[in-house]
Amino acid sequence: MEKEEKLKQICNQFTFKGVFKLAEPYGDGHINDTFKVTYMVDEKKLTHYILQRVNHLVFKNTVGLMENIEHVTSYLNDRITDEQKTDEYEILTLIKTNDDQSYFRDDEGNFWRAYVFVEHATGHTFAEDVNMLYEAGKAFGQFQRLLDEYPADSLIETIEGFHNTIWRLENLKKAVHDDLLQRAYQCSEEIQFALSREEMAATLVRGLKIGAIPLRVTHNDTKINNVLLDDATGKGRCVIDLDTVMPGSALYDYGDAIRSCGSTIAEDGENLEELKLNLEKYEAYTKGFLEAMGQTLTAQEIKWLPLAAIIMTLECGVRFLTDYLEGDRYFKIHKENHNLIRAKNQFKFVAEMEKQSDTMEEIVDMLLEHLGI
Ligand code: ADP
Ligand code: GN1
Ligand code: MG
């Protein structure tokens, strides 16, 4: 972890107000290094900021990524309505460096950036409260809606082929073939599980390619802790983690959110006997998402909502498994075999959703009728 003195020096590069007090690791994202920074404005007032070291091994064109975020946040600020503002819905706000840049590059080549800290709000990694999931669905739906006219070709692809599930499976095959750490023998069942679903997994990518579903500007990382919910009211306050905002499908966002919030246990829970699709959670998130986004979705997108949840969960499992085989170079891990545990969990969730896919479809139909869509 970073030394306090180093973090203080980094903070000095930004236009933070007041006197530096503290910088502490914050949140449980898998990619960037995130710190909550405290400044003293005067004797009675403390203020906080988010300071992040961007993972430049994952985001290779960090300068392009920061330009994306600058453009998207400024566009969203223009589009957000006064009504949404009075609802305390916020757009993530970058804090500039003393040189009026959106990032600072240190002498080791690391990229640092800072955001306004969204106070009294939390990104829940595992939420039990279905109302929270309804609010999360609404917030991500609204976010996508605000971007519906954004000029997609002005954004760079921050991770190439990020949700290209076909390519993700090819990568898995390559990792199995190379088997750098001789780990493949431990996960032959999981490898088989993923490869036997190759055809189904390609549906969204092919759908986009032939124009069966539209290309939109989407978030692409709608994990439930990437929306901050108000601690008092539970309402969606701010969609964060904009590193992957780029052209994609509405189904990527919907599917990945269900992957991250629809299960009865956490993403890395090991008690797979207990892992089921929680239908109440599924309904709550879907209701929020459809309320915000439903009128904009095409008939084909609506038809593929349940399938998208299955495909995005499979894709994430494939990514965890590939990373496990490649030596845990991408996702942060906190215990031995963490990526394998995550992969097993995701695949069990896929199997559970496959069993429930008719019920998932019925829930979508019921909500559409109820919402008059
Ligand atoms: P990662 O890509 O590593 O997931 P995130 O940008 O999602 O990084 O940030 C990690 C965590 O930090 C989030 O899950 C959230 O808890 C917290 N966080 C990020 N930005 C803010 C913010 N502006 N205000 C408050 N908390 C934030
Ligand atoms: C990562 O950055 P974070 O923790 O919000 C990953 C997602 C995965 C998720 C799985 C840029 O999300 O794609 O679905 O972990 N983000 C990136 O937990 O790879
Ligand atoms: Mg995150």
Side-chain angles (χ1 to χ4, degrees):
M1 246 328 122
E2 298 299 316
K3 297 240 163 49
E4 183 95 359
E5 191 48 40
K6 160 117 199 223
L7 289 170
K8 188 176 165 185
Q9 277 172 25
I10 304 286
C11 287
N12 284 341
Q13 309 300 322
F14 287 87
T15 51
F16 294 158
K17 301 226 158 36
V19 179
F20 175 89
K21 283 279 146 203
L22 182 73
E24 51 198 331
Y26 192 70
D28 53 6
H30 290 349
I31 305 295
N32 297 307
D33 293 324
T34 305
F35 302 89
K36 179 181 183 178
V37 177
T38 306
Y39 268 64
M40 193 162 88
V41 184
D42 60 41
E43 273 174 22
K44 287 194 204 111
K45 193 166 179 249
L46 293 177
T47 185
H48 302 114
Y49 301 99
I50 283 286
L51 177 72
Q52 276 183 329
R53 179 174 43 197
V54 183
N55 187 330
H56 63 262
L57 300 175
V58 164
F59 300 108
K60 301 208 167 63
N61 180 357
T62 318
V63 173
L65 170 139
M66 290 310 298
E67 279 168 11
N68 271 12
I69 295 185
E70 278 189 76
H71 294 151
V72 165
T73 51
S74 124
Y75 176 89
L76 288 170
N77 260 313
D78 292 342
R79 280 218 60 187
I80 183 174
T81 62
D82 291 341
E83 200 183 317
Q84 283 164 324
K85 278 185 195 148
T86 50
D87 247 5
E88 302 202 30
Y89 185 76
E90 297 173 34
I91 303 299
L92 190 63
T93 306
L94 281 166
I95 304 215
K96 292 277 178 79
T97 64
N98 300 326
D99 306 335
D100 204 32
Q101 300 298 310
S102 62
Y103 62 88
F104 168 69
R105 194 140 193 224
D106 69 16
D107 45 18
E108 292 164 29
N110 293 308
F111 288 81
W112 296 85
R113 68 173 169 218
Y115 289 118
V116 168
F117 188 90
V118 181
E119 298 283 356
H120 311 298
T122 307
H124 299 267
T125 299
F126 183 74
E128 275 301 357
D129 179 352
V130 290
N131 195 48
M132 278 184 183
L133 303 182
Y134 164 72
E135 293 294 343
K138 226 162 71 171
F140 276 130
Q142 245 168 34
F143 178 86
Q144 204 174 97
R145 191 99 198 240
L146 287 173
L147 286 173
D148 62 0
E149 285 169 26
Y150 192 93
D153 42 6
S154 67
L155 292 174
I156 67 141
E157 208 179 349
T158 57
I159 299 178
E160 256 177 73
F162 189 55
H163 285 314
N164 184 334
T165 320
I166 301 175
W167 175 73
R168 293 287 183 190
L169 275 151
E170 289 304 325
N171 265 2
L172 172 62
K173 286 185 212 165
K174 181 173 180 307
V176 173
H177 175 265
D178 296 348
D179 200 13
L180 292 177
L181 287 106
Q182 270 126 55
R183 287 177 163 180
Y185 77 95
Q186 290 173 297
C187 29
S188 48
E189 233 181 88
E190 286 72 30
I191 295 165
Q192 190 45 37
F193 183 95
L195 296 183
S196 65
R197 284 161 176 78
E198 213 170 351
E199 221 14 67
M200 176 271 293
T203 313
L204 301 183
V205 178
R206 287 202 190 124
L208 273 176
K209 202 167 170 200
I210 61 168
I213 49 172
L215 189 71
R216 302 172 185 272
V217 172
T218 48
H219 184 284
N220 295 305
D221 190 358
T222 48
K223 189 171 167 173
I224 212 69
N225 67 12
N226 285 333
V227 56
L228 302 177
L229 303 179
D230 190 281
D231 290 335
T233 64
K235 288 202 169 163
R237 282 274 300 285
C238 187
V239 168
I240 59 164
D241 206 345
L242 307 184
D243 296 330
T244 51
V245 174
M246 56 185 164
S249 160
L251 294 172
Y252 295 160
D253 281 6
Y254 170 79
D256 193 58
I258 298 299
R259 173 197 78 73
S260 95
C261 76
S263 165
T264 46
I265 71 173
E267 175 186 274
D268 61 354
E270 293 184 62
N271 190 349
L272 300 186
E273 289 276 289
E274 278 180 20
L275 195 164
K276 301 272 178 299
L277 168 69
N278 181 320
L279 290 170
E280 284 175 12
K281 290 184 175 185
Y282 181 74
E283 180 177 332
Y285 186 92
T286 307
K287 180 165 183 253
F289 183 74
L290 286 177
E291 259 182 44
M293 190 57 194
Q295 305 288 354
T296 326
L297 296 173
T298 66
Q300 187 62 65
E301 282 174 316
I302 289 176
K303 185 159 177 267
W304 278 346
L305 288 170
L307 179 65
I310 296 173
I311 292 178
M312 298 311 288
T313 308
L314 182 79
E315 180 190 282
C316 195
V318 166
R319 292 174 61 203
F320 287 143
L321 186 57
T322 307
D323 198 30
Y324 176 72
L325 293 170
E326 290 179 343
D328 308 307
R329 295 185 303 203
Y330 186 97
F331 295 103
K332 286 185 184 171
I333 55 164
H334 308 293
K335 56 182 168 187
E336 218 188 326
N337 296 340
H338 206 164
N339 275 318
L340 179 58
I341 291 166
R342 288 168 174 152
K344 284 178 192 261
N345 175 303
Q346 300 294 284
F347 292 158
K348 174 76 193 317
F349 193 25
V350 167
E352 287 299 318
M353 285 192 280
E354 284 173 346
K355 282 194 248 165
Q356 298 272 19
S357 63
D358 289 348
T359 315
M360 290 161 84
E361 278 169 24
E362 280 160 28
I363 290 173
V364 171
D365 288 346
M366 180 271 290
L367 287 170
L368 291 172
E369 200 181 319
H370 181 74
L371 296 170
I373 296 171

